[in-house]
Amino acid sequence: MEQVLQVKNLTTCLRLGKNDFPVVNGISFNLHQGRTLALVGESGCGKSMTALSIMRILPSPPALPSTGEVIYCDKNLLKISEGEMRDIRGNNIGMIFQDPMSSLNPVYSIGDQLLEVAEAHLGLYGDEAEQKVMDALEDVRIPDPKVRFHDYPHQLSGGMKQRVMIAMSLMCEPDVLIADEPTTALDVTIQAQVLNLMKDLQQKKGMAILLITHDMGVVADMADDVVVMYATKEIEKGSKRQIFQHKAHPYTEGLFNSLPQVHQPKEKLNVISGSVPSIKKLPTGCHFHPRCPYVMEVCRQGEVPDFPIGEEYSTKCWLYKEKTCE
Ligand code: SF4
């Protein structure tokens, strides 16, 4: 599969007071045409910060310019001008957010907002632009698109608003779609509909998807490849099969163990003890060591290297110093 976006050693810091704190620390992965890579971890691990760094839409200050490389069409997106980057956002790399209202304007009808995209990004006007908007609404299975065209965002349900957002992001047929917790705010049945829609559109249009989620069920449904993040760093990455089979890193194991089982009482859920540390107080050594049931002396000091444990499968955990999983 063709590689469409390469992220190499991406690092972003926030300047808070007189100090700089990393929020994304040395993340690397590749996105491939027609495949979905899930970036997984609890809230506060740096997943959304990774996406916002790729898109260069973090407010600065407090964010400092990211370092590393984000390669798209032989260009490092971290180095191009803001004007070039603006063209790439929307035209080539689209993004949808958890809360569609953060991107939809409440005072314009959805038709007008989609027409604006057709005009500004595709140079279409009049009947041609209107047809493009109708096609986009049909693609995302909005019923009665001619009627819905005139609706304002508040007249649509959460699932419908998310579909409009997807339509807006896909109108320019981007090579990459970044979806940040796209279904978290939706109820379970609508969640499944939106995820299925994204899968169908990916098959039809062949884009690469970077899916940000904390939900292993969504990963199971959608992902081909997985990067697990913890406290600003990637801690395990491989194919979905490898990760689901081995759950090599103790944090990944904890994420799986905390999935609710059918008929399991709420008080018996196996949660990972403790919480994600603040970026201002990251533990030394392996950032997970205060929560890890297997912690050893070596874990408390120094950087944990990446240990390869299979083909294109690695983890940052001292338990794997001399182990392979395949
Ligand atoms: Fe646990 Fe040590 Fe592995 Fe970190 S490096 S996850 S503390 S065993």
Side-chain angles (χ1 to χ4, degrees):
M1 279 285 175
E2 195 194 326
Q3 201 165 278
V4 281
L5 190 96
Q6 285 171 278
V7 175
K8 297 184 196 171
N9 201 22
L10 179 68
T11 299
T12 303
C13 292
L14 298 188
R15 179 156 293 169
L16 301 173
K18 289 191 178 137
N19 297 310
D20 297 343
F21 299 96
V23 283
V24 176
N25 195 349
I27 302 293
S28 302
F29 56 77
N30 298 325
L31 298 182
H32 295 90
Q33 190 184 31
R35 283 178 80 87
T36 297
L37 183 140
L39 200 52
V40 191
E42 293 162 283
S43 300
C45 281
K47 309 180 303 287
S48 297
M49 290 292 181
T50 302
L52 298 175
S53 301
I54 293 170
M55 293 297 264
R56 283 181 38 187
I57 49 176
L58 272 170
S60 171
L64 300 171
S66 302
T67 58
E69 289 177 89
V70 176
I71 307 291
Y72 172 75
C73 287
D74 296 327
K75 283 183 188 161
N76 181 0
L77 301 188
L78 303 181
K79 297 281 183 221
I80 61 177
S81 68
E82 180 47 35
E84 278 181 276
M85 191 63 211
R86 210 174 306 127
D87 282 345
I88 285 179
R89 272 183 230 123
N91 282 338
N92 308 91
I93 306 180
M95 185 158 178
I96 51 176
F97 299 89
Q98 179 177 337
D99 173 15
M101 282 316 279
S102 62
S103 310
L104 290 173
N105 190 327
V107 299
Y108 291 105
S109 71
I110 58 158
D112 281 346
Q113 295 185 56
L114 288 164
L115 277 176
E116 198 184 315
V117 175
E119 288 170 10
H121 290 275
L122 302 170
L124 299 175
Y125 295 91
D127 289 350
E128 249 187 319
E130 211 160 297
Q131 189 54 51
K132 185 78 189 172
V133 170
M134 290 303 164
D135 291 347
L137 290 174
E138 265 166 31
D139 270 350
V140 296
R141 299 185 210 129
I142 300 267
D144 295 327
K146 283 195 175 128
V147 177
R148 293 301 194 172
F149 184 94
H150 302 286
D151 281 357
Y152 288 83
H154 73 270
Q155 293 172 284
L156 303 176
S157 66
M160 284 294 168
K161 280 199 273 270
Q162 200 52 290
R163 281 164 198 256
V164 171
M165 275 309 306
I166 296 172
M168 201 175 265
S169 304
L170 297 189
M171 260 173 78
C172 304
E173 310 213 339
D175 294 328
V176 178
L177 177 68
I178 299 179
D180 188 357
E181 304 272 10
T183 56
T184 304
L186 306 175
D187 67 44
V188 183
T189 41
I190 308 295
Q191 237 183 51
Q193 287 173 14
V194 170
L195 291 175
N196 282 337
L197 174 70
M198 281 173 59
K199 263 197 273 189
D200 288 352
L201 291 170
Q202 183 181 41
Q203 267 174 12
K204 203 161 141 194
K205 300 184 188 278
M207 73 248 177
I209 298 181
L210 173 62
L211 176 68
I212 292 172
T213 181
H214 64 278
D215 184 336
M216 282 299 187
V218 170
V219 179
D221 254 11
M222 296 288 289
D224 299 293
D225 304 299
V226 179
V227 173
V228 184
M229 272 187 91
Y230 184 74
T232 75
K233 294 187 177 179
E234 61 188 35
I235 48 94
E236 181 169 353
K237 65 179 171 186
S239 66
K240 176 174 74 180
R241 182 188 62 76
Q242 288 165 320
I243 300 223
F244 274 57
Q245 193 172 339
H246 301 296
K247 310 166 186 83
H249 194 283
Y251 177 61
T252 314
E253 186 187 39
L255 287 179
F256 276 95
N257 288 346
S258 54
L259 281 177
Q261 306 296 316
V262 184
H263 305 311
Q264 188 177 23
K266 227 180 178 176
E267 59 281 6
K268 294 248 168 89
L269 284 181
N270 301 308
V271 289
I272 309 173
S273 66
S275 51
V276 178
S278 144
I279 53 158
K280 289 183 174 175
K281 282 194 187 145
L282 290 177
T284 55
C286 168
H287 293 336
F288 189 59
H289 85 248
R291 304 175 76 185
C292 180
Y294 311 102
V295 60
M296 303 169 282
E297 206 37 53
V298 64
C299 308
R300 300 178 209 274
Q301 306 128 19
E303 193 68 12
V304 189
D306 253 325
F307 293 108
I309 48 176
E311 205 190 331
E312 296 191 42
Y313 180 31
S314 64
T315 186
K316 279 186 202 304
C317 173
W318 286 112
L319 292 173
Y320 291 84
K321 194 172 170 204
E322 281 158 13
K323 243 194 221 174
T324 50
C325 283
E326 291 176 323

